[in-house]
Amino acid sequence: MSPPDAPLHIQVRIDELREQIRHHDHLYYGLGEPEIADSEYDKLFKALHDLEEQYPDLSSPDSPTRRVGGAVPRFVGKPAGSATPKVVTPVEQFSKVPHDRPLLSLDSVLVPDEVYAFDKRVKKELDVDRIEYVVEPKYDGLSVVIGFRDGDFVEGATRGDGQTGESIAPNLRSILSRLTCLTLPGRVPQRIVVRGEVYLRLPDFQALNRQLTERGEKTFANPRNAASGSLRQLDSRITASRPLVLTCYDLMVSSDPLPPTHWETVALLESWSLPVPEPAQRQMCHGIEEVIAFHRSMMERREDLPFEIDGIVVKLNSRDYQEQLGEKSRSPRWAIAFKFPPRKELTTVQDIVVSVGRTGALTPIALLTPVEVGGVTISRATLHNVEEVARKDVRVGDRVKIERAGDVIPDIVERVAMPGEQRAAPFAVPRHCPVCQSAVVQEGPVYYCTGQTVCSAQLKGGIQHFASKGALNIEGLGEKTVAQLVDKSFVKDLSDLYRLTKEQLLSLDGFAEKSATQLLSAIAQSNTPSLERFLFGLGIHHVGHHVARILAAEFGALETLLAATREELVEIHDVGPEIAQSVVHFFAEPRNLAVLDSMKALGVAVQTVSRETSGQVAPLKGKSFVFSGGLKSLNRQEAAQRLEALGGRVTSSVSKHTTYVVVGKAPGSKLAEAERLGVALLDEAGFLELLQRAGIG
Ligand code: IVH
């Protein structure tokens, strides 16, 4: 079976994931200041990888999944030789060195099932039933390579993007000198390149942060950032002053033949007095069960280790087998990282504040004494709603256990009672909205601010929602812009968006002629939304995508829905009394009707769904469309929205499953591809006619 064509939202998701991964690659590899935990990065990476595998048409040679590492190629100038030791931000000024061989990264797995699957795959591919693995700690530091000539240290670099690293020889020299490893004893091949990890021991990390605090300097969020910041210093005296340690785990290049197994390679490195994983922390495993047992035992010993590890590394012992399995573009097929689950930490609740969302719902947020969980410093946790605060009985001053499960804002797992503690009073729901002072009312477990139209927090959230991809899809109307528009009173309700002037936009931070014109045109282009998207965009309580679609199909036009009674609404399948009540309330509110009237007067024409199709959600269901060349009467986005409203799908590339290729002005290679595959073609007139026939004209 050939792979499915990708719907538009998949393309958008893939683009988003690529952008996010590039951003985090830059923070991690480029700046050495990651914002998210590895586990979270791994999730993003896996999501992208899986989508690209499912929709190979959308894979791209410059996708982050195809790169060995992440650093965006960056300009590098001269290595500086500053005379006075000062903290230099570790960026961009090291000279680049190409690696002899790419410094691969590792695929990671989290659960034993995935490890069994790895073992099965390996055995199948090699056609053997027993494999020797070597397991080692996965040190949470910075990957480096060090090169020796005739036993003398000559070069050293960071991993960089995996192909090219940053030359940090003087800094590595200072570490090797402390380890007395600048000259290796014994018979060492004429040229070798060794790979290892540089990191800081926990007590040294804490001492360094104390020292930085005393000097009034910025502290590091975790030992890895501290190691990276200490190693990537232009002034190697700073590096020398930090007690960095090194563990070597691979011989990447040797002028002599490489040993036949990984175990022997480590022994060889050790024979040259290089630091290698301690014997108690590595093991040769005869079979995958021993690997799993080692993971379990390391996890138990994790807290007692004087350094951070975030899992174990599992490697095939035989170099022959390693070579037979080979590597993918960024990771070997013969090794994996078997990570540890997210860590729980204890901290103290300093305060409980309340944030107001777009629906007016109040969310209690615990402000915490900052604590590092799985590589990220956490200072806030959501308590979801008031019921949850009461159930967990969390109060200001309490000790709590928090867990970072992948979200940026973690959860409070439970309160930890301390003997003899004096507790504060239980959390009290504010009677007035902290943003607009309107009264607060309760609906089930949720408390709401009643100041719908006057609450700037609700307005900001509401505008962002209206402009979001699933709603009117107004590009360029992000959180920061919306906040400024509301704070400057340019936008007091949704209809004001269609009154914005260029002068107003130009007075906002971050806007210039071009961006102002672009945003105005994006707003103008959003003025013929489908009923479904418009209803969703209004942000009526309980009206999500699904309900919006049903209401649009059922009522066909906004005016008809406006006149609907609660009884009529409850009759509809999937619309319960709660939804019906909320819709009726919304359209009974004079201020909401006034906003709808203003929008209409300003030219917003919500599309109607014709009689024949109302009640029938998807007349173009199962049909997929590809656009080639521009259309005159509507842009791609509008065309896509109309097709989607009728159940059609828009895909980016032509396959034999494509129903129609819509050919506009200056079509590209997709037209040729359609002709080659014999896919039906539609010109603009034909396309418009099809829309008309399907229900929207
Ligand atoms: S072996 C081709 N062994 O983990 C095999 N890597 O996510 C390459 N790491 O970039 C790596 N401890 O910086 C290996 N015992 C160990 C390791 C280890 C930590 C790091 C390394 C790599 C990352 C992969």
Side-chain angles (χ1 to χ4, degrees), residues 133 177 190 309 484 514:
Y133 293 106
S177 146
Q190 193 247 332
I309 65 173
Q484 293 190 69
K514 191 168 163 211

Side-chain angles (χ1 to χ4, degrees), residues 28-29 103-108 136-144 159 195-197 249-250 262 277 310 312-313 315 331-332 334-335 337 339:
Y28 185 103
Y29 297 110
L103 263 71
L104 298 172
S105 151
L106 293 169
D107 284 348
S108 34
E136 297 166 351
K138 184 172 182 309
Y139 303 94
D140 199 7
L142 204 75
S143 196
V144 296
R159 172 160 171 250
R195 178 170 178 182
E197 198 87 354
Y249 48 70
D250 196 15
H262 179 68
D310 56 347
I312 63 164
V313 180
K315 302 172 181 177
S331 52
W334 48 265
K339 294 255 190 118

